[in-house]
Amino acid sequence: QVHVVESGGGLVQAGGSLRLSCAASGRTFSSYAMGWFRQAPGKEREFVAAISWRRGFIYYGDSVKGRFTISRDNAKNTVYLQMNSLKPEDTAVYYCAAALTESSVWYSLRSSDYNYWGQGTQVTVSS
């Protein structure tokens, strides 16, 4: 069992930045690929970014490429999402998720591949 907790959400003006953190506890953190997803009111959950547990293989959703950066610190059991140049359309609840994998380079864009989810953190970008 892995417990995942997000933090760092809040209210920011358009063009501003926020850094989300996701702390994982339980089984060995480095055995998990990690992903960030978001869900805005009335919309489906959307893939944001993912990172493999080793070697830093990373993938971003088209809407955040060039603005968001995902990273992880396996020593701290934490994954981060640095969000720059925020737009009102980035407003959503952001979820962190963990996927158990034996591959050091695997990651996934599909929410169904993730085993454990956090409760979400609200990000609101005002215009």
Side-chain angles (χ1 to χ4, degrees):
Q1 184 72 22
V2 172
H3 189 53
V4 178
V5 179
E6 306 95 337
S7 61
L11 173 64
V12 63
Q13 289 188 334
S17 299
L18 280 175
R19 188 194 196 200
L20 304 183
S21 298
C22 172
S25 61
R27 298 182 63 175
T28 305
F29 178 70
S30 58
S31 298
Y32 288 85
M34 301 297 294
W36 286 98
F37 294 79
R38 67 186 183 186
Q39 189 165 18
K43 295 187 177 180
E44 294 186 352
R45 188 165 294 187
E46 177 190 13
F47 169 76
V48 176
I51 186 168
S52 62
W53 70 261
R54 193 176 172 185
R55 300 186 187 179
F57 284 83
I58 290 171
Y59 195 84
Y60 295 99
D62 288 340
S63 60
V64 306
K65 282 181 182 176
R67 300 188 298 121
F68 290 12
T69 302
I70 188 172
S71 61
R72 67 187 293 163
D73 185 338
N74 287 342
K76 296 182 179 180
N77 288 0
T78 301
V79 64
Y80 304 97
L81 185 68
Q82 178 66 43
M83 305 185 295
N84 298 328
S85 302
L86 283 162
K87 305 174 181 179
E89 51 264 43
D90 293 318
T91 295
V93 177
Y94 283 71
Y95 296 92
C96 177
L100 179 63
T101 175
E102 296 182 351
S103 169
S104 62
V105 302
W106 179 89
Y107 57 80
S108 176
L109 284 61
R110 300 185 305 182
S111 60
S112 59
D113 285 334
Y114 289 83
N115 311 100
Y116 304 100
W117 291 79
Q119 81 290 347
T121 185
Q122 177 70 47
V123 171
T124 303
V125 184
S126 62
S127 57

